[in-house]
Amino acid sequence: MAPGIIEKGIGFVRKQQSPFKVNMTKNVVQNFSLGLTQQYQSIYITALGATALELGYVASIGGIAFALITLPLGVLADKYGIRKILMAALLLMAGGYAIFGSATTWEMTAAALVLTTIAWEMTMNVCPMICGASLQSVERVTGMQLCDTVAALPRLFAPVVAAFLITQFGGLTVSGIRPLYWIQVGGILVSFGIIWRFFSNPPRITGSRGITIGSGVGRVFKEGIHVKRWLLYVTANMFPNYMAIYIPLYAKVIRGAQPYTLGLMDSTYWLVVVLLALPVGLSADRFGRKNLIMLMCPLYAVGLMVLAFVPGELTLIIVGLLTGFIMLAGVTSGSISVELVPKELLGSWYGIIGIARSLASIVSPLIGGLIWNSFGPVYVLYFLAATQILKLAILWTMPASTKYS
């Protein structure tokens, strides 16, 4: 990254409000911790005895649990502020990964996934609320992408560190992967300490105690801009996230990938984020968010087809590079979500979005497992590519800007 860009990035961060900067710091520590196991989790669960379909069952359970609490969480964030929600999420996350580290059967990982999915979705709900309240509209995508750039830096190294540790501990086996979860717990607790000590609620989201679940939801659908249509987009947008568990599994089972190759796939995924997040943010703020998403999503689909049809170890690393564009597109989509409702309703709005996300998290792993078992693993990749066509068709109908921008 050029020195001039780094200098501009530092200047941009310095002028922002404290909640944005503290959250970015928390994300750095949290993302390194999550990067230790993400690429290997589906392999760990199947090593404990789960089939591809049972893996889908386990992954969907967390989505069911989150669906039951997502809307109240959004309203609680509106009423009491997001600091408490963040701290609760990080404690749940640490507990979930401790269960992963203790698991002796694949059924035990279901409880771990309930906690970690709830915790992850809680942080995903409140993180854009911080950016929505702390950043001006004209620089919101830039700020969100810059946050992702900095927070993604540890993800370049964590998968390779994990691959080294797995090799030392015994390879792609239960005993080889298990210690990583305990290291992960320590990192998540450090993230909790950062929020507890330094974070304060953004000035514009300090709590709106007059908002109830009914009034918040009602106002979102009454005052929001094309919110029903956007919820369909969010659902389609989340399928690649929740079916991503099958990509490293496909690479290992079908392509014979080894620990370091799997680690490099994940590292190059995040390399795209680090190198391009800030340019994408600047371009989206200047040329339009919809235009950038339209360009990036097809690259993800190309990556899936490379995984399906192009042989060779090196191509798996190229897959990581191409599929990384889905992350950039997702952050850019998040900046659109922020501007569809009044800011005082962001908690309620993200609670509703959480329902759409949880629906995707319930059905997409199950669909993936059924497709894998019934038609063959490669059809999972075809299905994921097809979701991008649906998503872009919906995006095409959304306005470029709104009165809440």
Side-chain angles (χ1 to χ4, degrees):
M1 194 177 294
I5 295 178
I6 294 174
E7 187 175 325
K8 288 180 180 178
I10 293 173
F12 181 92
V13 172
R14 280 178 175 169
K15 72 178 184 179
Q16 302 305 323
Q17 298 176 30
S18 174
F20 175 80
K21 292 184 277 191
V22 175
N23 188 56
M24 182 185 293
T25 304
K26 182 270 295 182
N27 286 344
V28 169
V29 179
Q30 177 182 296
N31 278 356
F32 179 83
S33 304
L34 297 179
L36 290 173
T37 62
Q38 181 171 327
Q39 191 74 339
Y40 307 99
Q41 189 152 287
S42 59
I43 297 169
Y44 180 74
I45 296 172
T46 54
L48 284 167
T51 65
L53 185 57
E54 288 166 341
L55 175 65
Y57 291 147
V58 170
S60 69
I61 288 173
I64 295 172
F66 184 70
L68 299 175
I69 66 169
T70 178
L71 193 55
L73 278 173
V75 174
L76 286 173
D78 281 337
K79 292 186 69 172
Y80 302 113
I82 60 180
R83 180 174 178 268
K84 293 179 180 178
I85 302 297
L86 269 179
M87 290 193 297
L90 291 168
L91 288 178
L92 286 174
M93 193 176 290
Y97 286 119
I99 294 175
F100 267 121
S102 306
T104 54
T105 65
W106 69 266
E107 290 89 351
M108 289 180 65
T109 63
L113 275 168
V114 167
L115 294 180
T116 55
T117 301
I118 290 174
W120 172 249
E121 294 294 348
M122 287 168 69
T123 61
M124 289 297 292
N125 271 21
V126 298
C127 196
M129 291 173 63
I130 297 170
C131 290
S134 303
L135 300 171
Q136 298 298 316
S137 176
V138 294
E139 57 184 17
R140 184 167 291 132
V141 181
T142 300
M144 294 174 79
Q145 296 286 20
L146 178 61
C147 181
D148 274 9
T149 300
V150 175
L153 285 170
R155 299 296 291 261
L156 297 179
F157 312 106
V160 178
V161 172
F164 171 78
L165 293 174
I166 287 170
T167 303
Q168 300 303 308
F169 292 136
L172 292 172
T173 63
V174 171
S175 60
I177 299 173
R178 187 190 302 279
L180 273 62
Y181 284 105
W182 292 108
I183 300 172
Q184 196 170 36
V185 170
I188 298 299
L189 291 176
V190 171
S191 297
F192 173 86
I194 292 171
I195 295 298
W196 177 75
R197 176 65 180 83
F198 299 106
F199 188 85
S200 58
N201 290 312
R204 282 177 283 176
I205 305 185
T206 54
S208 303
R209 294 181 181 272
I211 295 178
T212 64
I213 293 178
S215 65
V217 171
R219 286 186 59 192
V220 164
F221 284 102
K222 182 178 179 180
E223 301 174 33
I225 308 295
H226 295 320
V227 293
K228 294 178 182 177
R229 192 179 308 173
W230 191 248
L231 290 173
L232 291 175
Y233 176 92
V234 168
T235 303
N237 190 48
M238 288 297 104
F239 269 70
N241 290 42
Y242 296 112
M243 289 179 70
I245 55 174
Y246 292 102
I247 290 180
L249 189 63
Y250 184 96
K252 177 182 180 292
V253 173
I254 306 301
R255 299 290 297 274
Q258 297 302 307
Y260 277 104
T261 302
L262 292 168
L264 287 171
M265 281 181 68
D266 201 33
S267 293
T268 52
Y269 176 104
W270 291 101
L271 179 63
V272 170
V273 177
V274 169
L275 294 180
L276 297 182
L278 191 53
V280 165
L282 291 168
S283 299
D285 283 332
R286 172 177 279 190
F287 301 113
R289 295 155 194 189
K290 288 172 59 176
N291 294 334
L292 267 291
I293 296 171
M294 291 285 185
L295 287 174
M296 291 185 290
C297 289
L299 294 174
Y300 168 78
V302 170
L304 296 175
M305 295 305 100
V306 171
L307 179 59
F309 295 113
V310 183
E313 196 87 353
L314 179 61
T315 60
L316 295 178
I317 299 172
I318 296 172
V319 169
L321 284 168
L322 290 170
T323 54
F325 282 95
I326 199 69
M327 177 69 176
L328 295 171
V331 175
T332 308
S333 298
S335 68
I336 297 175
S337 296
V338 169
E339 299 181 353
L340 297 179
V341 300
K343 286 187 172 57
E344 68 269 19
L345 296 176
L346 282 175
S348 299
W349 174 222
Y350 278 100
I352 296 168
I353 287 177
I355 293 176
R357 291 172 58 92
S358 63
L359 175 63
S361 72
I362 293 167
V363 302
S364 55
L366 292 175
I367 290 173
L370 289 168
I371 292 173
W372 183 294
N373 277 10
S374 302
F375 301 100
V378 73
Y379 286 90
V380 175
L381 307 183
Y382 298 158
F383 178 84
L384 283 172
T387 63
Q388 300 307 295
I389 299 173
L390 173 61
K391 182 176 80 174
L392 295 182
I394 299 171
L395 179 66
W396 184 260
T397 69
M398 294 297 294
S401 63
T402 75
K403 61 184 179 181
Y404 304 121
S405 299

